[in-house]
Amino acid sequence: MTDETNAVEAMGNMMSINLAGVAKNNNGSASAGLTLVSGIEKLMSPSFFKSENVTEMYSDIIIATLPKTRHVELPEPVNFTMYNKDRTGPVMKFQAGLVTCVYWKENGNETHWSVEGCTASFSNETHTVCTCTHLSTFAVLLQTGGQDNEEDDPLLEMVDLFCMCVGLTFLALAILTFLLCTWNPKVNNTARLHLCICLFLGHLLFLVGVSRTENAVVCAVIAGLLHFIFLSGFVWMFLETVQLFLLVRSLTKVQVIQKEGLKTLYLLLIGYGAPTVVVGVSAAVFPGGYGSKNTCWLSQKRYFQWSFIGPVGAILTMNLVSFCVILWSLRPTLANMKSDVSQSKDTRLIIFKIVTQFFVLGCGWILGFFQSSTLLKYLFIILNSQQGTFIFIVHCLLNKEVRKEYRRWFSCLFRKEGPPGDNATKDTVNDESQPTKDMDKADHHH
């Protein structure tokens, strides 16, 4: 601004304008007016500002005019200093990109808040300075960036990163185990193998790609892939539940899914076909729903996020009901288990498997709908990032024959000479053991 800048005030709000420059373009005379308007916040509410963030009014609404002038261009931008309504809020929210200077734009029958020609040049806990190239009706909006006005929790982000890395490690180990181990022909690991693959790819892509918003096309592709991969993961969780339900209904024992369940071809068609249909229809209905300025995920515009939340909510509900039915079917088996010392270990192991299976089937994701407290956020991150860990423990570490192959692999890795025998090369991975007095014998019988 020049030395000829004039200041106009209205209830503590101030406009700084170069009236001398305006007068040169208006026959040598110029005047400026600044008016504070109250009682029209509902008519000009923050909802008229197009944003994916939660927005609230952060200042009074002011009107700046140049009386007795017609279509005079401003020689230089005008500064507006407006006091913030929330004087106790966090300092320097402007630096986080949350404070936005806007003006009331009228375009025919359409009216809304716009940022054209206005920028927030300074902001602190008491006031905001807006620099604009025109005069109109102005206000300051505060975008909270989400459904609650909370700052990022660095500890939560660190825990999230650590847990995701641990989960990715165990998912990789589970995938290698399912692919490289020699399994009994009756054992069908298709559902849990593809569940692990989807979770691994989804978590990895989310970790490295969800913040890649520099290129809109790349961001949209990442969002679409995440939509498909995570939906596929939930469908595979559902198929794993169906397989377990069919097995328990016929055998009333907790065992690995067998070939007598759904055929592999049907599993693949459902596991990847259903998510393809959902993503395809969603992209056709609203192509701009993938990616935003802040994250490479589903946009909140037109409630597009429900193309993911809806199917996931339905799957989690069915999985939870199915898990309860499975527990009810196992009730006679658990009730008949003896409480003597020889069977106490087996009882604890079976109960541990049942509880862990709850998280393997994705029921822990239900916590995602209840994020009202910090504790629930931590539980959600820890439990669901370790879904691959639960799968690895239940279906790999607790399987005797898998442990045998692990020992054989380590022997080869460290070049240890073991006792000769042909049985080592012919071992097959059999079903999970049922509760008996000797778990090793039970594994061997299967």
Side-chain angles (χ1 to χ4, degrees):
M1 305 296 289
T2 66
D3 295 336
E4 299 177 345
T5 298
N6 301 95
V8 182
E9 294 189 15
M11 299 296 292
N13 301 283
M14 184 175 65
M15 174 178 65
S16 299
I17 184 172
N18 183 1
L19 284 179
V22 175
K24 291 179 181 180
N25 300 325
N26 192 51
N27 298 324
S29 65
S31 61
L34 186 65
T35 306
L36 187 145
V37 182
S38 60
I40 62 171
E41 286 79 4
K42 292 184 178 180
L43 299 177
M44 294 182 172
S45 70
S47 62
F48 289 99
F49 180 66
K50 298 179 181 179
S51 174
E52 295 183 357
N53 300 322
V54 175
T55 308
E56 60 182 281
M57 192 66 70
Y58 201 45
S59 74
D60 293 320
I61 299 175
I62 60 174
I63 300 177
T65 59
L66 290 174
K68 301 179 181 180
T69 59
R70 295 183 179 181
H71 308 294
V72 176
E73 294 185 4
L74 297 176
E76 59 186 62
V78 180
N79 282 345
F80 297 94
T81 302
M82 291 181 279
Y83 278 91
N84 303 330
K85 286 187 174 181
D86 185 11
R87 303 268 179 101
T88 61
V91 179
M92 295 305 288
K93 290 181 179 178
F94 162 69
Q95 293 184 351
L98 300 178
V99 172
T100 306
C101 295
V102 295
Y103 83 98
W104 189 250
K105 182 177 181 179
E106 297 182 1
N107 186 11
N109 295 328
E110 182 182 357
T111 55
H112 59 87
W113 290 112
S114 174
V115 297
E116 293 180 19
C118 288
T119 57
S121 55
F122 176 80
S123 182
N124 61 15
E125 70 274 18
T126 61
H127 65 277
T128 299
V129 178
C130 298
T131 302
C132 302
T133 59
H134 54 80
L135 300 184
S136 180
T137 301
F138 299 96
V140 177
L141 302 181
L142 176 64
Q143 301 185 62
T144 60
Q147 293 185 348
D148 49 26
N149 189 15
E150 297 181 0
E151 295 182 334
D152 293 336
D153 186 350
L155 179 59
L156 185 66
E157 293 180 358
M158 291 178 60
V159 171
D160 187 19
L161 178 62
F162 175 77
C163 290
M164 287 187 69
C165 291
V166 173
L168 285 172
T169 301
F170 283 103
L171 280 170
L173 291 175
I175 292 172
L176 291 175
T177 300
F178 293 138
L179 290 176
L180 300 180
C181 278
T182 305
W183 295 83
N184 188 297
K186 290 186 177 181
V187 177
N188 189 350
N189 283 319
T190 302
R192 65 179 62 99
L193 170 62
H194 287 272
L195 170 59
C196 289
I197 292 175
C198 289
L199 290 176
F200 181 86
L201 293 178
H203 287 168
L204 182 62
L205 183 59
F206 186 88
L207 194 63
V208 302
V210 73
S211 60
R212 305 293 182 181
T213 58
E214 299 86 2
N215 188 299
V217 176
V218 174
C219 184
V221 171
I222 292 175
L225 288 175
L226 286 173
H227 190 195
F228 172 78
I229 293 172
F230 278 122
L231 272 183
S232 299
F234 279 98
V235 173
W236 284 113
M237 293 177 207
F238 173 69
L239 292 175
E240 175 78 355
T241 308
V242 172
Q243 294 277 73
L244 185 61
F245 173 77
L246 293 176
L247 181 65
V248 170
R249 189 184 64 173
S250 59
L251 301 179
T252 63
K253 296 188 178 88
V254 178
Q255 298 180 10
V256 172
I257 308 305
Q258 296 185 353
K259 290 279 180 140
E260 284 75 11
L262 298 176
K263 294 182 179 180
T264 301
L265 179 60
Y266 296 154
L267 291 173
L268 292 173
L269 288 176
I270 298 174
Y272 294 112
T276 301
V277 172
V278 174
V279 174
V281 172
S282 302
V285 172
F286 185 31
Y290 289 102
S292 66
K293 295 180 180 180
N294 301 320
T295 181
C296 297
W297 183 232
L298 305 185
S299 171
Q300 297 183 10
K301 295 179 179 179
R302 296 170 58 176
Y303 303 100
F304 189 72
Q305 70 272 21
W306 281 96
S307 63
F308 178 77
I309 298 176
V312 167
I315 290 174
L316 291 179
T317 301
M318 290 186 290
N319 278 8
L320 183 60
V321 172
S322 300
F323 183 78
C324 294
V325 173
I326 290 171
L327 285 182
W328 183 261
S329 301
L330 288 172
R331 184 174 50 87
T333 301
L334 297 175
N336 292 331
M337 296 178 68
K338 297 180 180 180
S339 60
D340 56 82
V341 177
S342 62
Q343 271 201 328
S344 61
K345 179 181 179 181
D346 298 344
T347 305
R348 291 195 301 268
L349 182 59
I350 289 300
I351 293 176
F352 173 77
K353 285 186 175 183
I354 291 174
V355 173
T356 309
Q357 194 75 15
F358 178 85
F359 298 104
V360 170
L361 300 180
C363 296
W365 285 86
I366 296 175
L367 290 174
F369 294 94
F370 306 96
Q371 297 289 284
S372 58
S373 68
T374 303
L375 176 61
L376 290 177
K377 292 180 180 179
Y378 277 95
L379 286 176
F380 175 75
I381 289 175
I382 293 173
L383 292 176
N384 293 289
S385 64
Q386 302 309 304
Q387 195 170 354
T389 307
F390 297 140
I391 295 175
F392 179 76
I393 292 174
V394 171
H395 299 295
C396 299
L397 285 185
L398 295 183
N399 189 298
K400 178 185 175 184
E401 298 301 330
V402 171
R403 295 197 301 268
K404 282 185 178 180
E405 293 219 11
Y406 284 163
R407 287 193 291 268
R408 183 154 55 87
W409 291 350
F410 281 112
S411 297
C412 296
L413 180 63
F414 294 104
R415 298 180 179 178
K416 292 182 178 180
E417 294 183 0
D422 295 331
N423 291 335
T425 61
K426 296 180 181 179
D427 284 340
T428 58
V429 179
N430 298 317
D431 294 7
E432 299 283 351
S433 60
Q434 58 182 354
T436 62
K437 292 184 178 181
D438 189 342
M439 293 300 291
D440 290 342
K441 288 182 180 180
D443 281 335
H444 182 71
H445 288 320
H446 284 290

